[in-house]
Structure formats: structure tokens, C-alpha cells
Amino acid sequence: MAQHNHLIPAPETALRDERDDALRTAARLRAVLECAQDAFVSMDGRGRITAWNRAAEQLFGWPADEAIGSLATELMIPPALREAHDAGMARVRRTGVSELAGHRLELTAVDRQGREFPVEMTLQLQHERGEPIYHAFLHDITARTTARAELQQERAFLQALLNSLDTGVAACGSDGRLAHFNAAMREIHGQDLQPIEVESWAQIYHLYAADGRTPMESAEVPLARAFAGETVQHGEVVVCAPDRPPRRFLTNARPIDTDGGRRLGAVVAMHEITDAYRAEMLRRCRHAVAQALSEAVSARDAAMASAAGVAAELGWVCAEYWEVDEEGHRIVRAGSWSRAGIDLAAFTGADPLSFRIGQGVPGAVWERGADIWSNDLLGDLADPGRLSLGHRLGLRAAIGMPVYSGTRVAGALAFFSDTRVRRDDDILAVLRDIAAQVGRFVERRRAEDLTLALATARRDFDRVIDLVNDCVWSIRYDPPDRWRTMYVSPGESGVFGGPLPSADTLAHVMAEHIHPDDLPQFRHYHDEVSAGRPAEFESRFAGFDGVTRWIWCRGFPRFENGILYVDGIATNVTERRELADRREALLAQEQEQVRRLRELDRMKDELVAVVSHEMRNPLAIIAAYTDSLLEEPEFAGRPELAAIERTSAHLVHLVEDLLDLARFEAGPALLDPRPLHLDRLVRQAVEEHRITAQVELLTDIEPLPMVAGEEARLRQVLDNLLSNAIKYTPAGGTVTVGARATADAVIVEVTDTGIGIPAEQYPKLFTRFFRASTAVERKIKGTGLGLAVTRALVEAHGGTITAEPGPECGTRFTVRLPAPGTTPASP
């Protein structure tokens, strides 16, 4: 038999071996597939199942013996998708290509119970004997799709919620780029989200500071501040989008961090306060007008005070009042106002100025009889030269308003701004109100009918009072002590907490509500106005609503037909008084603290002077005895004596520095200045220090004029600066000494490449006992007195000394001494 096997041809043996290997490989693959977590399904080109592992049994509920040979359409495909499935398989049989092969696909499958559920499938396509064979791995992704659907619902809900808010909301991601805008934020900026860097937010979205003029720095943007870790509360931002009116917002922003502290981004909410801000601004304007009109005695005073008050509130830089002359030939400037800090002297001037009809802003208002709002001073109006001058001085917008007297233009109000101003109907309404009131002043002054004038004045008065929060009142006095209310404005509740009594017991009622400590002021006020003299008082008032307020009241007596009337105004000044009380308390605390600091400084100076003086004699004795011992042969060369000599010399130098500082700070220093060659002194100091220096000493010394000074003291200055530069420069470094002269000073500079000084410590550098942290950290010895003494010496010579970082590293000290014939600098 062995001989027979030996006769089997070799190719047949190889084929048998290959078959056995293939069978073993197939067995291993079946074992792997049976243990796989994912369902494995194979199908032939007709869709019949040829392989079905245990995971497939668990996933679809069909055992392998029932599944194999069955159509996949009947076991796995939902009824609604079977037609499309069969069409796809037919297309693959026809073309031999499947677009789904090699991809992860999310599909809907059905199990034996008819339950449809989502699966993820990876499909591979092979061809055997010209027929397609399909292999697919599948697993249930119900949990994933459920979570994803819930997340999408939450996102949709959150987006809908944010879009329903009137407040603008924006957020950035962990990379600092904008990641979310709600609908309100898109409306605010007039543009959609742009995923831009932090540095571009302010520029792209036109963000300005609270003044509405200053572009906001990128680091000041609330969202940027929040992304940097700051929580922003009520930050004010103005959005000035092109071709849109400015809008004002209060912003709240905060960072978004995980529990572990990782920064996920930041969020900002913008609440619009434009209307409230405008209402408050216009209220202040109206209040300023009301106050001006209540105090004015002429139309000119009323017009200028009102115009100046409104211009100041609106941030405009100039306001003017013009009157048409009696002949009606020219319009003449009657007064002008300009904002503090703005130099418009050449434009406003004190010289008389007048225009013909149609010229400039007032002439154009006179000619048209209507308001003018121009953002083009050089193109909109006929200019006799003044508007071009204003443009050169920075004026960019002009507003004009006619002042009528009856049916004719009697004058004009002119306003100027240093920025372009969008036409605003509310502001125009305020200006028209001012102009109308000024016009009524003019009309009343010229009116011949007293009854008509009084009626007009009453209407004007009522309109003004309606605009203010103060309480305006009028009372009648009937001796001996009967006061009756004649008129009270609607502001009484805000001042007194309720309506004033109309009975003749007004004075008694007021006295009952005045704080007991303030009754003397009230009684003095009562006596003064009863005598017909103007008076005012300020006191605490227990309001009719139970709230105690500080009120300020002023009364102006007048007599009509022998009867005393008192007209006045009462204002709630509670906030001002509270602020004043807090300011006084803080001022008192600060003054006490300053007094204590000065006393401590004086005691410190006295202590330093006493200790220095008391140490001087013992040190001199120690030095003398040390010198005597060193001269004895048996003690010569003893290191202990050398250490005593070195230490006592250091202490003597320290004491001399302290005494020098005490003398210089006690009063004018007694110097013996003589003409000397400073350049020669500088070279001498450099050469002597070069002997022991372990750094490279460079010089750039120009010829210098003679200067007046005490040579020993100036040499002390140079030695201090050079020794410091050498001490704080590592070996191999460079110290450069330069000297030059200018028209008014002789300048000496010492620049090193040493360890340098932190920027925040330069202001303290010349303070006694101060040592830079860089020197302390490197344990470089020093007393901290050298630079203080140096500054005292330089200032005693009428000069100055400054310090700054060197060009590359280290420090540069600059000494400036007055040139001959110039005035020394004050210390």
C-alpha cells in the first residue's frame, strides 16, 4: 500500500494539501464568526442566506438551520423596504457593482417578532464564478439612535427657546471662535454668525464703548472677558452697525467650564436698553431745559441756558443762540457755549458775528423757517468761511432750529458735534420744544396784551412742570400764621410721598413731618419767607407714604395786591446727601490714614538718624583699635582682624549713607560747587573700576562743557552707578558708560547687560532700603541705600536721575545735570 501511495502523482498531493489547508482555514473562520459580537450574514446573488452566526440568531430571532437557505428579504428586511432591496440586488447582478459595499450604513431591520429596529451594517461584495456574494456584519444601534434623537430634540428645543428670546445670546467654543447666535443676536448685528477669532469680534460686529464713540478693544468685549475667565455683570456696549442707528445694550457674560475646570467656551446675553437710555437722556435734557427756563429772566438767557444744557447731555461740543436784528437785515450771534476740553476759540470767539439770510447754519434756518440737520458742513450749506473753519477744527455735524415769535422767525438755535449724528426725531422734538419755549419768551416780552401773556406763561409753565420730577408749588400767606396751597405740581408724590394738604394748616403739617434735628432750619426758612425774603432749606422729611427723604426747598416771595405769595420748588436730594455723607466719611478715613503714615515716616527718619549717629562713634573706635592691632607684629596678618576691619568699614559706609540721606532730606544740602571737567571725572572713575571689574567696560564719552558741582559728591554718584552695574552684571557681560551734552543739559548714561529689574519695580528703585527682586533671588548682597543716596546727590546738584530697561537686557541709568547758564531742575 505504501508503494501504491508512493505512486500518487505530486500535483494531486499538493491539491489535497491545499484543500486540507482551505478546510482548516474555513473552520477557523467559522469559529471566529460564531464568537463574533456582531451578527454575520452571507447571501448569494439571489439573496438566499448562506451563513448565519449565533449573533445573527440573537439579533433577528431566527436559528441558523431555519435561516440558511431562506431569502434575506423575508427574514431581515421590513416589508416597506423589500421592493427596494430586491431592486438593488437585481441591479448588482446586472452591473456587478454595489454602491453600498465598503461603507458603514445605518438601516432599518426587522426581527422574527416583526419588531423594526435600527442597525449599523458593513457590507462586502465578492464575485464567485461570475455571481455576486454578499457578506455583512450588523449590530443593533437602537440606543445610539435614541440618544441621538433625544440630543437633536434637545438641541432643537434649546434653539427654539433661544430664538424665542428678545435678548441676544451668543457663545464661543473652546477654541475661542464664535459658535452660536440666536435670532435676536442676528437681528442686533444685522448679520449672521461668523466663526471668527476673539480679536476680530469688536471690529466685525461694530462694538463700541459706553460713550458710543470709542471702538471697543478686543480684550474688553464681554464675551472675550468671559472666555478669559471673568464673569461680566451689566457691562454696557453700543452696537454701531453701518447704515443702522446705534443701539445700546447691557451685557452679562460668563465662562462655561466643566466640573474639572476645562474651559468649554463662554456665553453672553445682550439686553437692549436703547429706549430706556434715550428716554433717560431726553428726560435729562428736558430737566435741564426746565431748570434753565425756571431761572432765566430773559429770552436770551433762557435760550443759551437751554441750548447749553441739551448740548451737554447729548454730548455735542458747541451750542449757539442767534437773534434776528430789529431791522430784519442780519441774524446776530447772542451767545455761545462749548464743551470743556474742546478748543473752539477760533470758531466761537468773543467778537460780534452776524450773517445775512441764507448764510451758514443760522442764516439757512432763518431763510427756510425750518430745522436743519446736516452731516456735510462743506456741501449742504452756503458757507461764508466759518463752516470750513469748523470742519478744520473737527466739527462734523450741524443742527439748526428756528425760534419763532408769532409767525416770524425771531432767532435760531445752532448745535455742532465732532462726530456725524444720525437724524433723530425725538431729539428734534426736544429742540423744537426748546425753540418753542424760547419763542414764547420772546413773544411774551413783546406782547401788549397782559392777559394773553399770562395765559401763555401758564401753559408754558404747565408743559415744563410735566417734564420734571421736582415739585413746584405756590402758596398764599394770611397772617398771622395761615398758609394755603394754591398750586402743586404732579411731582409732589415723588418728593413728599403723597399730596400736600390744601388746608390753611400747611405749615403745621410740614413741621410735624420735618425731622426734629432739622426743625431750626425749617423755622428759619418759615420766618424768612413770611417776612418776604427768599430762602431755602434742606432737611429730612417723613413722607406721607412713611418713607423718610432728604428734601431741598427754595421759596421766592412775591406780593400781589398786598397779599404775600410764595412760589417755590422742592427736590428729592436723598441720593445726593447719601453720596455726600459717604464721601465725607471716606475723606475723613483717608485723612486719618495719611496723618498716621506721615507720623510713622517721621518717626522712622528720626530713628534712622539717631541710630546712625550713635553708631558712628563706636565704629570709629573699633576701626582705630583694629588699625592699632594690625600694626603689632604678633597680630599682623590675622584674618580675624582683617574681617573686623572689612566689616567696620562696611558699617561706616552704611552709616555715612544714612547720614547723607538724613542731611539731604532735612533741607537744602550744603555743597561746595566749583567748575569742573565732568568728562575727565567720568574717564577717571571708569579706569579705576576697570582694574577689578570682571566685565567689559566700554565708553562713549564726548567732550563736555564745564559744569558746576562738588567733585567728591559727583565722583560718589559715578562710583555708585558703576559699582552697581558691575556687581549686577555676570562675568563676561558689558557695562557701557556714555556722556554727551545738549543745549540745556549734560547727560551721563551707565548701561549694563546684567540681571535687570522687573518693570513694575522701577518706580520704587530709588526708595531707601529697596532691593529689586532679581537681586534678592540671586542673593547678591546690598543695603538698598546706594541709589537713594545717588538720587539725593544728583538732585542736590539741580539734576535728575532716571532708570529704564537696557536696549537688549539689563538696566540703563541716566543722569542729567544742568548745562552752564541754565536753570537747575527742581527736586
Coordinates of all heavy atoms in Angstrom, one line a residue, residues 718-782:
L718 N 29.1 108.6 40.4 CA 29.6 107.8 39.4 C 30.1 106.4 39.9 O 29.8 105.4 39.4 CB 30.8 108.5 38.7 CG 30.5 109.7 37.9 CD1 31.7 110.4 37.4 CD2 29.6 109.4 36.7
D719 N 30.7 106.4 41.1 CA 31.1 105.2 41.7 C 30.0 104.3 42.1 O 30.0 103.1 41.9 CB 32.0 105.5 43.0 CG 33.4 106.0 42.6 OD1 33.8 105.9 41.5 OD2 34.0 106.6 43.5
N720 N 28.9 104.9 42.6 CA 27.7 104.1 43.0 C 27.1 103.4 41.7 O 26.8 102.3 41.7 CB 26.7 105.0 43.6 CG 27.0 105.3 45.1 OD1 27.9 104.7 45.7 ND2 26.3 106.2 45.7
L721 N 27.0 104.2 40.6 CA 26.4 103.6 39.4 C 27.2 102.6 38.8 O 26.8 101.5 38.4 CB 26.1 104.8 38.4 CG 25.0 105.8 38.8 CD1 24.9 106.9 37.8 CD2 23.7 105.1 39.1
L722 N 28.6 102.8 38.7 CA 29.5 101.9 38.1 C 29.6 100.6 39.0 O 29.5 99.5 38.5 CB 30.9 102.5 38.0 CG 31.0 103.4 36.8 CD1 32.3 104.2 36.9 CD2 30.9 102.6 35.5
S723 N 29.7 100.7 40.3 CA 29.8 99.5 41.2 C 28.5 98.7 41.1 O 28.5 97.5 41.1 CB 30.1 100.0 42.6 OG 29.0 100.8 43.1
N724 N 27.3 99.4 41.0 CA 26.1 98.7 40.9 C 26.0 97.9 39.6 O 25.7 96.7 39.5 CB 24.9 99.6 41.0 CG 24.4 99.8 42.4 OD1 24.9 99.2 43.3 ND2 23.3 100.5 42.5
A725 N 26.4 98.6 38.5 CA 26.4 97.9 37.2 C 27.3 96.7 37.1 O 26.9 95.7 36.6 CB 26.7 98.9 36.1
I726 N 28.5 96.9 37.7 CA 29.5 95.8 37.7 C 29.0 94.6 38.5 O 29.1 93.4 38.2 CB 30.8 96.3 38.1 CG1 31.4 97.3 37.1 CG2 31.8 95.1 38.3 CD1 32.6 98.0 37.5
K727 N 28.4 95.0 39.7 CA 28.0 93.9 40.7 C 26.9 93.1 40.1 O 26.8 91.9 40.4 CB 27.6 94.6 42.0 CG 27.1 93.6 43.0 CD 27.0 94.2 44.4 CE 26.1 95.4 44.5 NZ 25.9 95.9 45.9
Y728 N 25.9 93.7 39.4 CA 24.7 93.0 39.0 C 24.9 92.5 37.5 O 23.9 92.1 36.9 CB 23.5 93.9 39.1 CG 23.2 94.3 40.5 CD1 23.2 95.6 41.0 CD2 22.9 93.3 41.4 CE1 23.0 95.9 42.3 CE2 22.6 93.6 42.7 CZ 22.6 94.9 43.2 OH 22.4 95.2 44.5
T729 N 26.1 92.6 36.9 CA 26.3 92.0 35.6 C 27.2 90.8 35.7 O 28.3 90.9 36.3 CB 27.0 93.1 34.7 OG1 26.2 94.2 34.6 CG2 27.2 92.5 33.3
P730 N 26.7 89.7 35.2 CA 27.6 88.4 35.3 C 28.9 88.6 34.6 O 29.0 89.4 33.7 CB 26.7 87.4 34.7 CG 25.3 87.9 34.7 CD 25.4 89.4 34.6
A731 N 29.9 87.8 35.0 CA 31.2 87.8 34.4 C 31.1 87.6 32.9 O 30.3 86.8 32.4 CB 32.1 86.8 35.0
G732 N 31.8 88.4 32.1 CA 31.7 88.3 30.7 C 30.7 89.3 30.1 O 30.7 89.4 28.9
G733 N 29.9 89.9 30.9 CA 29.0 90.9 30.4 C 29.6 92.2 30.1 O 30.9 92.4 30.1
T734 N 28.8 93.2 29.8 CA 29.3 94.5 29.3 C 28.6 95.6 30.1 O 27.4 95.6 30.3 CB 29.0 94.7 27.8 OG1 29.5 93.6 27.1 CG2 29.5 96.0 27.3
V735 N 29.4 96.6 30.4 CA 28.9 97.9 31.0 C 29.4 99.0 30.2 O 30.6 99.1 29.9 CB 29.4 98.0 32.5 CG1 29.0 99.4 33.0 CG2 28.9 96.9 33.4
T736 N 28.5 99.8 29.7 CA 28.8 100.9 28.8 C 28.5 102.2 29.4 O 27.4 102.5 30.0 CB 28.0 100.8 27.5 OG1 28.2 99.5 26.9 CG2 28.4 101.9 26.5
V737 N 29.5 103.1 29.4 CA 29.4 104.5 30.0 C 29.4 105.5 28.9 O 30.4 105.5 28.1 CB 30.5 104.7 31.0 CG1 30.4 106.1 31.7 CG2 30.5 103.7 32.1
G738 N 28.4 106.3 28.8 CA 28.3 107.3 27.8 C 28.1 108.7 28.4 O 27.5 108.8 29.4
A739 N 28.6 109.7 27.7 CA 28.4 111.1 28.2 C 28.3 112.0 27.0 O 29.0 111.8 26.0 CB 29.6 111.5 29.1
R740 N 27.3 112.9 27.0 CA 27.1 113.8 25.9 C 26.5 115.1 26.4 O 26.0 115.1 27.6 CB 26.3 113.2 24.8 CG 24.8 113.0 25.2 CD 24.0 112.3 24.1 NE 22.6 112.2 24.4 CZ 22.0 111.4 25.2 NH1 22.8 110.4 25.7 NH2 20.7 111.4 25.4
A741 N 26.5 116.1 25.6 CA 25.9 117.4 26.0 C 24.8 117.8 25.1 O 24.9 117.5 23.9 CB 27.0 118.5 26.1
T742 N 23.7 118.4 25.6 CA 22.7 119.0 24.8 C 22.6 120.5 25.1 O 23.5 121.0 25.8 CB 21.3 118.4 25.1 OG1 21.0 118.6 26.4 CG2 21.4 116.8 24.9
A743 N 21.7 121.2 24.5 CA 21.6 122.6 24.7 C 21.3 123.0 26.1 O 21.8 124.1 26.6 CB 20.5 123.2 23.8
D744 N 20.6 122.2 26.9 CA 20.3 122.6 28.3 C 20.7 121.6 29.3 O 20.4 121.7 30.5 CB 18.8 122.7 28.4 CG 18.0 121.5 28.0 OD1 18.7 120.5 27.5 OD2 16.8 121.4 28.1
A745 N 21.5 120.5 29.0 CA 21.8 119.5 30.0 C 23.1 118.8 29.6 O 23.5 118.7 28.4 CB 20.7 118.5 30.2
V746 N 23.8 118.3 30.6 CA 24.9 117.4 30.4 C 24.4 116.0 30.9 O 23.9 115.8 32.0 CB 26.2 117.8 31.2 CG1 27.3 116.8 31.1 CG2 26.7 119.1 30.7
I747 N 24.6 115.0 30.0 CA 23.9 113.7 30.3 C 25.0 112.6 30.4 O 25.9 112.5 29.5 CB 23.0 113.3 29.1 CG1 21.9 114.4 29.0 CG2 22.3 111.9 29.3 CD1 21.0 114.2 27.8
V748 N 24.9 111.8 31.4 CA 25.8 110.7 31.7 C 24.9 109.4 31.7 O 24.0 109.4 32.5 CB 26.7 110.8 32.9 CG1 27.5 109.6 33.1 CG2 27.5 112.1 32.8
E749 N 25.2 108.4 31.0 CA 24.5 107.2 31.0 C 25.3 106.0 31.3 O 26.5 105.9 30.8 CB 23.8 106.9 29.6 CG 22.8 107.9 29.2 CD 22.2 107.7 27.8 OE1 22.8 107.0 27.0 OE2 21.1 108.2 27.6
V750 N 24.8 105.1 32.2 CA 25.5 103.8 32.5 C 24.6 102.7 32.2 O 23.5 102.6 32.8 CB 25.9 103.8 34.0 CG1 26.6 102.5 34.4 CG2 26.8 105.0 34.4
T751 N 25.0 101.9 31.2 CA 24.1 100.8 30.7 C 24.8 99.5 30.9 O 26.0 99.3 30.6 CB 23.8 101.0 29.2 OG1 23.2 102.3 29.1 CG2 22.8 100.0 28.8
D752 N 24.1 98.5 31.5 CA 24.7 97.2 31.7 C 23.8 96.1 31.1 O 22.7 96.4 30.6 CB 24.8 96.9 33.2 CG 23.5 96.8 34.0 OD1 22.7 96.0 33.6 OD2 23.2 97.6 34.9
T753 N 24.4 95.0 31.0 CA 23.7 93.8 30.4 C 23.5 92.8 31.5 O 23.5 91.6 31.2 CB 24.5 93.2 29.2 OG1 25.8 92.8 29.8 CG2 24.8 94.2 28.1
G754 N 23.2 93.3 32.7 CA 23.1 92.4 33.8 C 21.7 91.7 34.0 O 21.0 91.5 33.0
I755 N 21.3 91.5 35.3 CA 20.2 90.7 35.6 C 18.9 91.5 35.4 O 17.8 90.9 35.4 CB 20.2 90.2 37.0 CG1 20.3 91.4 38.0 CG2 21.5 89.3 37.2 CD1 20.4 90.9 39.5
G756 N 19.0 92.8 35.3 CA 17.8 93.6 35.0 C 16.9 93.8 36.2 O 17.1 93.2 37.3
I757 N 15.8 94.5 36.0 CA 14.8 94.8 37.1 C 13.4 94.7 36.5 O 13.1 95.1 35.4 CB 15.0 96.3 37.6 CG1 16.5 96.5 38.1 CG2 14.0 96.7 38.6 CD1 16.8 97.9 38.3
P758 N 12.5 94.0 37.3 CA 11.2 93.9 36.8 C 10.5 95.3 36.6 O 10.8 96.2 37.3 CB 10.4 93.1 37.9 CG 11.5 92.3 38.6 CD 12.8 93.2 38.5
A759 N 9.7 95.4 35.5 CA 9.2 96.7 35.1 C 8.4 97.3 36.2 O 8.4 98.5 36.4 CB 8.3 96.5 33.8
E760 N 7.6 96.5 37.0 CA 6.7 97.1 38.0 C 7.5 97.6 39.2 O 7.0 98.3 40.0 CB 5.7 96.1 38.5 CG 6.3 94.9 39.2 CD 6.8 93.8 38.4 OE1 6.8 94.0 37.1 OE2 7.1 92.7 38.9
Q761 N 8.9 97.3 39.3 CA 9.7 97.8 40.4 C 10.5 99.0 40.1 O 11.1 99.6 41.1 CB 10.6 96.6 40.9 CG 9.9 95.4 41.3 CD 10.8 94.3 41.8 OE1 12.0 94.5 41.9 NE2 10.2 93.1 42.1
Y762 N 10.4 99.5 38.9 CA 11.2 100.8 38.6 C 10.8 102.0 39.4 O 11.6 102.7 39.9 CB 11.1 101.1 37.1 CG 12.1 100.4 36.3 CD1 11.8 99.2 35.6 CD2 13.4 100.8 36.2 CE1 12.8 98.5 34.9 CE2 14.4 100.1 35.4 CZ 14.1 99.0 34.8 OH 15.0 98.3 34.0
P763 N 9.4 102.2 39.7 CA 9.1 103.3 40.5 C 9.6 103.3 41.9 O 9.7 104.4 42.5 CB 7.5 103.3 40.5 CG 7.2 102.5 39.3 CD 8.3 101.5 39.1
K764 N 10.0 102.1 42.4 CA 10.5 102.0 43.8 C 12.0 102.0 43.9 O 12.6 101.9 45.0 CB 9.9 100.8 44.5 CG 8.4 100.6 44.5 CD 8.0 99.3 45.1 CE 6.5 99.1 45.0 NZ 6.1 97.8 45.6
L765 N 12.7 102.1 42.7 CA 14.1 101.8 42.7 C 14.9 102.7 43.5 O 16.0 102.3 44.1 CB 14.5 101.8 41.2 CG 15.9 101.2 40.9 CD1 15.9 99.7 41.3 CD2 16.1 101.3 39.4
F766 N 14.5 104.0 43.6 CA 15.3 105.0 44.4 C 14.8 105.2 45.8 O 15.2 106.2 46.4 CB 15.3 106.3 43.6 CG 15.9 106.3 42.2 CD1 15.1 106.1 41.1 CD2 17.3 106.3 42.1 CE1 15.7 106.0 39.8 CE2 17.9 106.2 40.8 CZ 17.1 106.1 39.7
T767 N 14.0 104.2 46.3 CA 13.5 104.3 47.6 C 14.5 103.7 48.6 O 15.1 102.7 48.3 CB 12.1 103.6 47.7 OG1 11.2 104.1 46.8 CG2 11.5 103.7 49.1
R768 N 14.6 104.3 49.7 CA 15.6 103.7 50.7 C 15.3 102.3 51.1 O 14.1 101.9 51.3 CB 15.5 104.6 52.0 CG 16.2 105.9 51.9 CD 16.2 106.7 53.2 NE 14.8 107.0 53.5 CZ 14.4 107.6 54.7 NH1 15.4 107.8 55.6 NH2 13.2 107.8 54.9
F769 N 16.3 101.5 51.1 CA 16.3 100.1 51.5 C 15.6 99.2 50.5 O 15.4 98.0 50.8 CB 15.7 99.9 52.9 CG 16.3 100.7 54.0 CD1 15.6 101.8 54.6 CD2 17.6 100.5 54.4 CE1 16.2 102.5 55.6 CE2 18.2 101.2 55.4 CZ 17.5 102.3 56.0
F770 N 15.2 99.7 49.4 CA 14.5 98.9 48.4 C 15.6 98.1 47.6 O 16.6 98.7 47.1 CB 13.7 99.7 47.5 CG 13.0 98.9 46.3 CD1 11.9 98.1 46.6 CD2 13.6 98.8 45.1 CE1 11.4 97.3 45.6 CE2 13.1 98.1 44.1 CZ 12.0 97.3 44.3
R771 N 15.3 96.8 47.4 CA 16.2 96.0 46.5 C 15.3 95.2 45.6 O 14.3 94.7 45.9 CB 17.0 95.0 47.4 CG 17.9 95.7 48.5 CD 19.0 94.8 49.0 NE 19.9 94.6 48.0 CZ 20.4 93.3 47.8 NH1 20.1 92.3 48.5 NH2 21.3 93.1 46.8
A772 N 15.8 95.2 44.3 CA 15.0 94.5 43.3 C 14.9 93.0 43.6 O 15.8 92.5 44.2 CB 15.6 94.8 41.9
S773 N 13.8 92.5 43.2 CA 13.6 91.0 43.5 C 14.6 90.2 42.7 O 15.0 89.1 43.2 CB 12.2 90.6 43.0 OG 12.0 90.9 41.6
T774 N 15.1 90.6 41.6 CA 16.2 89.9 40.9 C 17.4 89.8 41.7 O 18.1 88.7 41.6 CB 16.4 90.5 39.5 OG1 16.6 91.9 39.7 CG2 15.3 90.3 38.6
A775 N 17.8 90.8 42.4 CA 19.0 90.8 43.2 C 18.8 89.9 44.5 O 19.7 89.2 44.9 CB 19.4 92.2 43.6
V776 N 17.6 90.0 45.1 CA 17.3 89.2 46.3 C 17.3 87.7 45.9 O 17.8 86.9 46.7 CB 15.9 89.7 46.9 CG1 15.6 88.8 48.1 CG2 16.0 91.1 47.3
E777 N 16.7 87.4 44.8 CA 16.6 86.0 44.4 C 18.0 85.4 44.2 O 18.2 84.2 44.5 CB 15.7 85.8 43.2 CG 14.3 86.1 43.4 CD 13.5 86.3 42.2 OE1 14.1 86.1 41.1 OE2 12.2 86.5 42.2
R778 N 18.9 86.2 43.7 CA 20.3 85.7 43.4 C 21.2 85.9 44.6 O 22.4 85.6 44.5 CB 20.9 86.4 42.2 CG 20.2 86.0 40.9 CD 20.6 86.9 39.8 NE 20.1 86.5 38.5 CZ 18.8 86.6 38.1 NH1 17.9 87.2 38.9 NH2 18.4 86.2 36.9
K779 N 20.6 86.4 45.7 CA 21.4 86.5 47.0 C 22.6 87.4 46.8 O 23.7 87.1 47.3 CB 21.8 85.2 47.5 CG 20.5 84.3 47.9 CD 21.0 82.9 48.5 CE 19.7 82.1 48.8 NZ 20.1 80.8 49.4
I780 N 22.5 88.5 46.0 CA 23.5 89.5 45.9 C 23.4 90.5 47.0 O 22.4 91.1 47.2 CB 23.4 90.2 44.5 CG1 23.5 89.1 43.4 CG2 24.5 91.2 44.3 CD1 23.3 89.7 42.0
K781 N 24.5 90.6 47.7 CA 24.4 91.5 48.9 C 24.3 92.9 48.6 O 24.7 93.4 47.5 CB 25.7 91.3 49.8 CG 25.8 89.9 50.3 CD 27.0 89.7 51.2 CE 27.1 88.3 51.8 NZ 28.3 88.2 52.7
G782 N 23.7 93.7 49.5 CA 23.5 95.1 49.3 C 22.6 95.7 50.4 O 21.9 95.0 51.1

